[in-house]
Amino acid sequence: ILFASLYINSEPAQKRIKAIIAQKTGDVVKFERVALSLFPRPGLAFQQVNINIPEGTSIRVESTKIYPQLLPLLIGKVRIAKVKFEKPDIIVDISENPKKRAVKDKHSTPAEIIENVTSVISSVRSVAPGLIAVVKRGKLLVRENHHDVAVVRKIYARIALESKEVEVKVKGDIDKLGEFSARGNVDAEKNNILINGLSMSTVTLKNVQASVFDSSFIGSVVISKTAQDINSADVTISGEIGPETIQLVSKTFSLPPEQTLHAPVSISNAHVVWQAGAKLAIVATAAIEDGPTLS
């Protein structure tokens, strides 16, 4: 441990590690220094990490710790077991650069975004099966024209790559609005099937539980898509909308008191089915406290 610590802290080792990280990430990830971390388990601690992603997204992390699986190390293989991000600042700039507007590529479609995320998950799973990523005390800033349009603080998240699914848990505090939390499982496997000669795949979000302010929901989503387009979406949802959410909606849309629903509003067995080129089908039941039940 002593010799490993001395070696990692040496300038030749620091330059070598930076060169490897730059090569593997395409110079997207940069950091100040790396050191050996012993507690709570052996790993590497990267200080002042900067991640610059195209399309105006950057991430600054005060400290990132990477913990390898111990048994594979005994036979000379490196398998990452856990990555921990301490106090990351995630900045998303949605402003358009006028100089680039005329020559920029078209925006990715939702199906292409899902395809890219699925590919990234598959690539990560190939080198780090069972990886757990943890975010502690994170902050998300959404900016437009140098102004913060949304700020989320106190972000705590856990993403676990299970055998066939991705388990996601996240909670935080949205400025001027309140706390939120969400959890669920994403089936990100590429289960391609042929429909009418087209290669289709499905992405499933199940056991989804979300709470926003004083409202809470449970549900599931099944999306079928090709590589370029989303073909259909099947959504089921139940939950309860609280008085603070109702008042926020009323204030946002400047609704008079006589057009504002009494709260809470209970929604049960809502089923939304959308298919490309077809009509949208919605079936739901909503019960207003001390009021009518709408179907």
Side-chain angles (χ1 to χ4, degrees):
I1 291 174
L2 175 61
F3 281 114
S5 181
L6 291 173
Y7 169 73
I8 290 175
N9 283 317
S10 67
E11 289 306 316
Q14 294 287 323
K15 291 181 180 179
R16 176 62 178 159
I17 294 174
K18 287 183 178 180
I20 292 173
I21 296 294
Q23 179 185 8
K24 295 295 184 181
T25 65
D27 215 21
V28 169
V29 180
K30 297 181 179 180
F31 60 93
E32 289 296 326
R33 290 194 69 81
V34 60
L36 186 66
S37 173
L38 299 178
F39 299 101
R41 55 191 292 185
L44 292 176
F46 296 82
Q47 303 298 324
Q48 302 300 322
V49 180
N50 288 279
I51 305 172
N52 291 301
I53 304 170
E55 304 294 335
T57 300
S58 63
I59 303 173
R60 293 196 302 263
V61 187
E62 187 172 296
S63 173
T64 302
K65 293 184 178 180
I66 299 177
Y67 302 103
Q69 296 179 12
L70 298 182
L71 290 179
L73 286 178
L74 300 178
I75 56 175
K77 294 184 179 181
V78 178
R79 295 285 187 182
I80 305 300
K82 186 175 182 180
V83 179
K84 181 178 177 182
F85 300 96
E86 195 77 30
K87 294 182 179 180
D89 287 341
I90 306 168
I91 302 172
V92 179
D93 192 341
I94 59 177
S95 304
E96 283 191 341
N97 187 334
K99 294 181 180 179
K100 295 181 179 180
R101 190 179 297 137
V103 296
K104 70 177 183 178
D105 296 331
K106 64 178 182 178
H107 290 295
S108 298
T109 65
E112 289 171 339
I113 293 173
I114 294 174
E115 185 74 15
N116 291 337
V117 171
T118 303
S119 297
V120 169
I121 292 173
S122 298
S123 298
V124 172
R125 182 177 273 125
S126 66
V127 297
L131 174 69
I132 296 175
V134 176
V135 174
K136 286 196 171 184
R137 294 176 291 175
K139 181 168 67 175
L140 170 64
L141 300 174
V142 180
R143 291 177 176 169
E144 184 175 17
N145 297 324
H146 306 291
H147 294 286
D148 295 340
V149 295
V151 181
V152 184
R153 306 178 191 274
K154 300 178 182 177
I155 298 175
Y156 287 81
R158 182 182 185 273
I159 302 173
L161 298 186
E162 299 180 350
S163 57
K164 291 186 178 180
E165 298 179 338
V166 180
E167 183 185 59
V168 180
K169 299 178 182 177
V170 61
K171 65 178 182 178
D173 194 329
I174 304 174
D175 275 12
K176 301 179 182 179
L177 294 178
E179 296 182 349
F180 79 95
S181 66
R183 63 183 300 173
N185 297 76
V186 181
D187 183 350
E189 289 293 304
K190 291 188 175 182
N191 48 347
N192 290 328
I193 56 176
L194 285 176
I195 299 179
N196 296 328
L198 293 176
S199 178
M200 305 286 292
S201 63
T202 60
V203 177
T204 304
L205 286 73
K206 59 184 180 181
N207 303 323
V208 177
Q209 303 176 35
S211 65
V212 183
F213 323 135
D214 61 343
S215 301
S216 59
F217 305 93
I218 60 173
S220 64
V221 181
V222 179
I223 298 172
S224 64
K225 67 177 190 66
T226 63
Q228 289 78 30
D229 298 301
I230 292 179
N231 180 264
S232 66
D234 190 316
V235 181
T236 58
I237 191 170
S238 297
E240 185 174 277
I241 305 174
E244 292 183 12
T245 305
I246 294 290
Q247 289 300 318
L248 175 64
V249 173
S250 178
K251 183 178 179 181
T252 301
F253 294 98
S254 301
L255 298 178
E258 62 271 17
Q259 293 182 13
T260 300
L261 293 175
H262 293 286
V265 177
S266 298
I267 299 174
S268 58
N269 301 320
H271 190 193
V272 181
V273 179
W274 171 85
Q275 188 169 5
K279 293 182 179 179
L280 177 69
I282 303 175
V283 179
T285 301
I288 302 172
E289 188 177 65
D290 299 326
T293 297
L294 309 177
S295 298

